Amino acid sequence: MKLWKLLGIAAFAGVAASGVVMARNQRRRAAYTPDQIRERLHERLAEASRSE
């Protein structure tokens, strides 16, 4: 019985931690302006073209 409680707590902690990471990443993405996103996409395309 204690094992199941421990597994439940560990699962809950894992879900909470992943939610925090996802929220942090979303805030970071939302902070970009459309021009910054466009510039980054062009940079990534240029890097991909050079590597081929």
Side-chain angles (χ1 to χ4, degrees):
M1 184 78 163
K2 288 184 181 183
L3 176 63
W4 290 111
K5 286 183 182 179
L6 185 60
L7 287 175
I9 291 171
F12 179 76
V15 169
S18 64
V20 168
V21 170
M22 289 174 54
R24 185 183 309 149
N25 288 338
Q26 179 61 29
R27 282 194 304 269
R28 193 174 295 154
R29 280 193 303 269
Y32 290 123
T33 65
D35 291 332
Q36 289 172 324
I37 294 171
R38 188 176 305 110
E39 181 180 323
R40 286 181 55 140
L41 287 173
H42 286 296
E43 289 172 2
R44 289 174 61 187
L45 178 63
E47 287 176 15
S49 297
R50 282 190 299 241
S51 66
E52 291 180 358

